Amino acid sequence: MELKDHVLIVTGGASGIGREACLALAAKGADLVVADFNLAGAEQVAAEVQALGRRAKAFKVDVSKAAEVKAMVDFAVDQLGTLNGIFNNAGISKVQSLLEMDPASYHRVIDVDQHSVYYGLHYGARKMVELGAKGTFVNTASIFGYVAARGSFNYNAAKSAVVAMTRTGALELAEHGIRVVAVAPGFIDTPMMGEDPSIKPPLAAQHMHNTLIQPEKVASVVAFLFTDAAQAVNGSTVPVDDGFLAFKV
Ligand SMILES: NC(=O)c1ccc[n+]([C@@H]2O[C@H](COP(=O)([O-])OP(=O)(O)OC[C@H]3O[C@@H](n4cnc5c(N)ncnc54)[C@H](O)[C@@H]3O)[C@@H](O)[C@H]2O)c1
């Protein structure tokens, strides 16, 4: 119960890594706002969190919209009484070669995967400083914040920015008792992978165990990073990639 009396927001909480993070954080005692574009999915996960004995509220948000992220932060404090951090996790990919990538596709991925993290840190930290609340932000970066992938010009740009914003956020917020860290998942077995099973084996082969990573393995690292046991981890992005980056450098 290391996170007892902590109020956290999880974006992208309806599915994949976000859903598993909600369950892992609730198991450590946190009360949660499960925020997602998919409200029905968020309500389902909030019910699962309540079944674990924690308080949970669902909130519909488009994290690419500043006003909606600000409203999400206000909702958490109104409904659950305080705020101790956000798992800025919601994200999308739109695979397209650089030669084919139109501005709308480029900007959508930057808006959802990059600007959302700025909004979460900005509005979340302002609220915490106002309340005098301490806590942690965890951002979802990616192995593709470090290495290039074909068709991922937009995603590579956004996730590299998440790694950078994690560093600067930590630097500026430490004096307020707020840590900022990130995870860089490898290839995770979530709906983001799509329906085509043939893409999975070549991705799995890039991990040391030759298998995709299950989302609960990312969630357990995320939940640890929110606890005081991870107090000395700050500004860093932790790979959860079964050795992918170790193969590359
Ligand atoms: N799956 C992977 O291999 C992998 C690898 C590295 C990083 N990631 C990152 O992990 C994060 C979670 O992805 P996942 O694999 O769990 O995918 P997922 O598709 O299972 O979950 C993503 C969730 O985000 C929500 N979402 C999407 N756009 C949104 C928006 N604009 N506003 C609010 N919610 C929105 C979706 O509704 C969904 O519930 C993403 O940031 C993704 O880039 C995933």
Side-chain angles (χ1 to χ4, degrees):
M1 286 292 147
E2 298 150 279
L3 297 176
K4 190 167 179 310
D5 299 326
H6 283 57
V7 173
L8 302 173
I9 301 170
V10 175
T11 72
S15 175
I17 294 168
R19 174 182 176 276
E20 295 299 334
C22 286
L23 300 177
L25 291 165
K28 287 189 182 293
D31 296 323
L32 299 175
V33 170
V34 183
D36 205 291
F37 199 62
N38 169 6
L39 181 60
E43 285 171 340
Q44 168 68 37
V45 173
E48 292 178 68
V49 169
Q50 288 163 3
L52 293 171
R54 309 316 316 168
R55 295 185 296 159
K57 299 281 180 187
F59 187 81
K60 181 173 169 63
V61 67
D62 179 346
V63 294
S64 71
K65 305 273 196 305
E68 293 192 23
V69 175
K70 183 174 187 303
M72 174 183 82
V73 166
D74 291 341
F75 175 84
V77 177
D78 287 349
Q79 296 290 315
L80 298 174
T82 189
L83 182 67
N84 301 103
I86 303 179
F87 182 27
N88 288 308
N89 166 72
I92 56 169
S93 69
K94 280 184 187 293
V95 175
Q96 228 171 11
S97 74
L98 175 56
L99 294 179
E100 299 299 326
M101 188 171 289
D102 54 278
S105 162
Y106 172 80
H107 283 292
R108 185 65 188 153
V109 171
I110 298 293
D111 284 346
V112 175
D113 292 6
Q114 176 180 337
H115 294 165
S116 62
V117 175
Y118 154 58
Y119 300 144
L121 287 170
H122 175 70
Y123 291 114
R126 280 179 71 90
K127 180 61 76 178
M128 287 168 66
V129 170
E130 179 190 319
L131 295 170
K134 314 283 183 236
T136 308
F137 289 82
V138 180
N139 305 319
T140 301
S142 169
I143 49 175
F144 295 134
Y146 293 101
V147 298
R150 287 182 192 281
S152 295
F153 186 83
N154 46 10
Y155 193 80
N156 284 157
K159 293 300 188 181
S160 298
V162 173
V163 173
M165 290 189 289
T166 299
R167 291 191 199 108
T168 314
L171 184 66
E172 295 204 10
L173 296 175
E175 67 192 85
H176 300 288
I178 297 171
R179 286 186 302 117
V180 185
V181 298
V183 286
F187 300 109
I188 316 301
D189 197 3
T190 72
M192 190 184 239
M193 283 267 157
E195 298 294 314
D196 179 1
S198 73
I199 69 160
K200 295 186 178 182
L203 299 180
Q206 298 176 64
H207 291 150
M208 287 197 185
H209 289 92
N210 197 23
T211 182
L212 294 182
I213 299 166
Q214 293 306 306
E216 50 267 40
K217 298 299 182 197
V218 183
S220 57
V221 175
V222 169
F224 169 73
L225 288 171
F226 273 105
T227 70
D228 281 348
Q231 202 173 30
V233 185
N234 206 359
S236 303
T237 297
V238 179
V240 188
D241 65 347
D242 193 16
F244 174 95
L245 290 172
F247 286 138
K248 303 286 176 186
V249 291

